[in-house]
């Protein structure tokens, strides 16, 4: 069951960047930078819990807004075509260059000022198809950034009658892609990989593939001997000791994976 490891490594240290941007017609304020500080701490707490401390993030976060040279509307439609993202991404990288060392960066997250993302609730303020933007293999004078991702108004979209996607969870979701997790709903329903943000944990299967789950947290069962067997599972939202998943190999390429969830902690929105 190989993990796609063409991106960043899943254990050790991942080098992340966060920059805040605003525009001549949509300005950022200092309280937003304080908010971002809090989101970084929540991200690090989640990563410590989720990876059993096996992956840690180092951050570069200049506590300032970088002003874009054009108004938001001047960038035109930022849509599904990656070409429509390039000017904006290029201007962001250029503006932040004096404050960021781009060498050996694994992923760069971009925060857009609230004045822009709140300007048209439920609508992409760039009048485009996507309420987010980004780029891959972005060239800089200090090296290539494999991934650049801006949340845009997607961070303000509500689901299921008022549940908001949080910034740290958006960053965590995108980081999972960077380190090789490909799943999306319905492949990874009700986990952070699904983009529904009801449940901010990774699936047990992906935790195992990533090397985040300890051997004594996995009950690997022989299908020939499971009749009548009982295994107690610790919910993925809990830090209690015990089995966190039961895996029953069926063939060389198939397995049944069992996991438990509770509406507490990182799954409080499960209801």
């Amino acid at each position: 069951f190989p993990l796609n490891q063409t991106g960043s490594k899943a254990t050790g240290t991942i080098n992340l960047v966060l920059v805040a941007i605003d525009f001549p017609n949509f300005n950022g304020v200092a309280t937003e930078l304080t908010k971002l500080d809090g989101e970084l701490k929540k991200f690090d707490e989640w990563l410590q819990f989720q990876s059993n401390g096996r992956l840690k993030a180092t951050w570069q976060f200049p506590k300032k807004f970088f002003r874009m040279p054009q108004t938001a509307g001047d960038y035109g439609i930022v849509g599904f075509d990656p070409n429509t993202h390039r000017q904006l991404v290029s201007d962001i990288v250029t503006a932040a260059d004096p404050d960021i060392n781009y060498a050996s960066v694994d992923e760069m997250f971009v925060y857009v000022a609230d004045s822009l993302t709140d300007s048209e609730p439920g609508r992409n303020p760039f009048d485009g198809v996507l309420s987010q933007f980004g780029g891959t293999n972005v060239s800089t004078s200090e090296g290539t950034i494999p991934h650049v991702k801006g949340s845009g108004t997607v961070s303000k979209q509500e689901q299921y009658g008022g549940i908001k996607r949080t910034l740290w969870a958006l960053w965590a979701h995108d980081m999972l892609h960077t380190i090789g997790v490909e799943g999306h709903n319905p492949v990874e329903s009700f986990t952070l990989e699904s983009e529904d943000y009801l449940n901010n944990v990774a699936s047990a299967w992906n935790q195992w593939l990533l090397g985040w789950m300890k051997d004594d947290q996995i009950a690997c069962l022989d299908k020939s001997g499971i009749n009548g067997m009982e295994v107690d599972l610790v919910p993925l939202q809990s830090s209690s000791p015990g089995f966190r998943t039961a895996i029953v190999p069926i063939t060389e390429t198939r397995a049944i994976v069992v996991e438990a969830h509770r509406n507490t902690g990182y799954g409080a929105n499960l209801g």
Side-chain angles (χ1 to χ4, degrees), residues 141 145 183 204:
S141 59
I145 310 172

Side-chain angles (χ1 to χ4, degrees), residues 29-265:
V29 296
T31 53
E32 294 175 81
L33 302 177
T34 302
K35 173 182 69 175
L36 291 178
D37 252 341
E39 295 294 311
L40 288 180
K41 292 176 183 176
K42 290 178 182 177
F43 178 98
D44 288 343
E45 290 169 358
W46 172 87
L47 190 58
Q48 168 66 30
F49 165 79
Q50 192 68 93
S51 74
N52 275 308
R54 294 180 173 181
L55 181 65
K56 296 182 180 180
T58 61
W59 289 94
Q60 293 184 74
F61 171 45
K63 294 181 182 179
K64 60 189 287 188
F65 277 93
F66 295 96
R67 178 64 50 83
M68 294 297 96
Q70 302 183 58
T71 67
D74 289 339
Y75 286 98
I77 296 176
V78 179
F80 283 111
D81 183 351
N83 289 321
T84 64
H85 301 219
R86 286 178 180 165
Q87 187 60 54
L88 177 59
V89 171
S90 176
D91 286 348
I92 293 169
V93 169
T94 299
D97 195 3
D99 294 79
I100 296 292
N101 178 3
Y102 290 121
S104 301
V105 168
D106 293 302
E107 186 153 8
M108 176 173 168
F109 300 117
V110 182
Y111 170 81
V112 181
D114 281 340
S115 57
L116 177 73
T117 54
D118 289 336
S119 64
E120 296 178 302
R123 183 183 177 193
N124 176 11
F126 293 103
D127 293 325
V129 179
L130 288 178
S131 52
Q132 52 190 343
F133 57 88
T136 57
N137 297 321
V138 177
S139 296
T140 77
S141 59
E142 298 166 314
T144 299
I145 310 172
H147 303 276
V148 175
K149 187 65 176 290
S151 300
T153 55
V154 72
S155 63
K156 301 300 179 69
Q157 292 173 354
E158 295 184 355
Q159 293 183 313
Y160 309 110
I163 297 174
K164 287 186 177 181
R165 299 168 174 176
T166 56
L167 286 168
W168 74 262
L170 284 166
W171 302 336
H173 172 93
D174 288 327
M175 183 202 67
L176 286 171
H177 289 311
T178 305
I179 60 179
V181 171
E182 304 291 354
H184 274 72
N185 195 22
V187 177
E188 299 291 357
S189 184
F190 299 117
T191 64
L192 189 58
E193 300 99 300
S194 71
E195 289 191 322
D196 61 17
Y197 299 96
L198 280 174
N199 190 13
N200 293 324
V201 297
S203 68
W205 179 253
N206 278 330
Q207 288 182 49
W208 175 61
L209 288 180
L210 291 166
W212 290 358
M213 200 170 284
K214 300 175 182 177
D215 289 349
D216 61 4
Q217 295 176 322
I218 306 164
C220 187
L221 308 178
D222 188 329
K223 67 177 181 178
S224 65
I226 62 173
N227 287 343
M229 181 182 293
E230 292 187 6
V231 177
D232 291 330
L233 295 182
V234 174
L236 294 185
Q237 295 78 14
S238 172
S239 58
S240 301
F243 291 126
R244 301 177 69 80
T245 186
I247 301 179
V248 185
I250 302 301
T251 69
E252 288 187 358
T253 57
R254 301 182 70 188
I256 293 173
V257 183
V258 186
E259 59 190 47
H261 294 274
R262 295 292 185 276
N263 59 331
T264 184

